[in-house]
Structures are given as structure tokens and as C-alpha cells.
Amino acid sequence: MTSPQLATSLAKFAEMEGRHPRLLLATASSDEERYHKHVATLFADGGFDVDVAPQHSDAQSIARQVIDCDADMLVLVRTSLTSTDRVHVADLISALDALDAEYVKFGIVGHADDPARSNVDFVCDLEHLQTSDCEALIDYILAVEEGRVAQHI
């Protein structure tokens, strides 16, 4: 069930963009594949259109898919801070920059104390991920979009 605040934010975004906010969900390593469904469902229930990057994607193919699916946000599921990541945060940032996709908001779902938190736009704790995180992220994306639109007026 959608809260009144979330419904209002979704309606505002849809009025501005003609669609719901869209995110691409990717994983840092094979360890996170099991969380795909849980995270994707939560964001879809929260009002996002969710696309999922294919398993074993590298940073360049994830960045290309962000562009191809017209995502507003890239969410990387990264739960193990000790395993060797297939996809590194720095590589994703570089790949997005190379495609002139700096406008895409990039965040991590994993641990609140992720060492890459200073390099991304947001971090959500996987253990406590809930609808209120979706509300906050939609409000964040909406504020970014309103600022972008105001600059072009």
C-alpha cells in the first residue's frame, strides 16, 4: 500500500517526466544475486519502474544499460565488504561519466557503513530496507528533477 506522501511524490514525478521514476538494479558480485528479487520487489512496490542488469555484468555493460533503459537511478547491491567484487563502485562511476550520465543518481544497498558511501549519492542498509527508503529516494529524485527543470526555464 502506498502512503499518501509517496503517492503525491510519484504523481508529481509522473507529471514532470510522463512516467514513474526508473532504476536499474545491479549486483557487485555473485554473492548478492540472492537479494535481487527482494530489493527489486521492494522498489517496485514503492513505485519505481525496476530494470535488472543481467547476472555477471561488468561496469561498462551496466552503465550502457542505465542509458538504454533511461534510468534515473542505479542501485548496486553490495553486501559483502570482504569478497572480491566483480563490479567496483569506482569503475561504475567512471563508466557512467564516460557516457555523460552524471545525472544518474548512484547508490548502494548493502551496509550503512560501506566504505564507498562518500563516493555515491545514497546508501541503504539492506537489513532494514523498507518502504520509507523508497519514499526518501523518490523525494530525492523529485528534488533533483525539479532543480533540473527550474534551470531550463
Side-chain angles (χ1 to χ4, degrees):
M1 185 158 150
T2 305
S3 72
Q5 175 191 347
L6 182 55
T8 300
S9 296
L10 286 168
K12 245 175 137 176
F13 187 92
E15 182 180 311
M16 291 174 61
E17 294 292 322
R19 61 174 172 78
H20 283 249
R22 184 170 294 127
L23 70 83
L24 176 68
L25 180 66
T27 55
S29 70
S30 299
D31 295 342
E32 287 87 5
E33 298 291 338
R34 63 183 175 195
Y35 298 109
H36 251 144
K37 189 175 185 177
H38 169 72
V39 175
T41 300
L42 184 90
F43 280 110
D45 289 348
F48 284 89
D49 289 338
V50 179
D51 288 302
V52 178
Q55 292 181 351
H56 309 295
S57 295
D58 62 8
Q60 288 73 28
S61 63
I62 292 170
R64 170 57 38 212
Q65 190 174 355
V66 164
I67 301 300
D68 291 346
C69 72
D70 194 25
D72 303 295
M73 185 181 295
L74 170 61
V75 175
L76 181 69
V77 179
R78 181 176 133 122
T79 59
S80 178
L81 303 179
T82 58
S83 72
T84 304
D85 288 342
R86 176 186 69 254
V87 178
H88 297 279
V89 170
D91 294 340
L92 274 171
I93 292 169
S94 295
L96 290 168
D97 287 347
L99 295 172
D100 294 325
E102 301 87 18
Y103 61 90
V104 174
K105 299 304 162 200
F106 176 30
I108 296 171
V109 170
H111 296 284
D113 60 348
D114 191 299
R117 76 175 302 122
S118 62
N119 299 321
V120 297
D121 297 304
F122 61 90
V123 175
C124 296
D125 185 358
L126 179 64
E127 291 183 29
H128 302 101
L129 192 63
Q130 53 191 337
T131 304
S132 61
D133 292 309
C134 292
E135 290 174 356
L137 290 174
I138 288 173
D139 287 343
Y140 171 62
I141 291 294
L142 185 59
V144 168
E145 289 299 305
E146 287 173 337
R148 184 182 62 77
V149 169
Q151 286 179 353
H152 291 92
I153 294 178

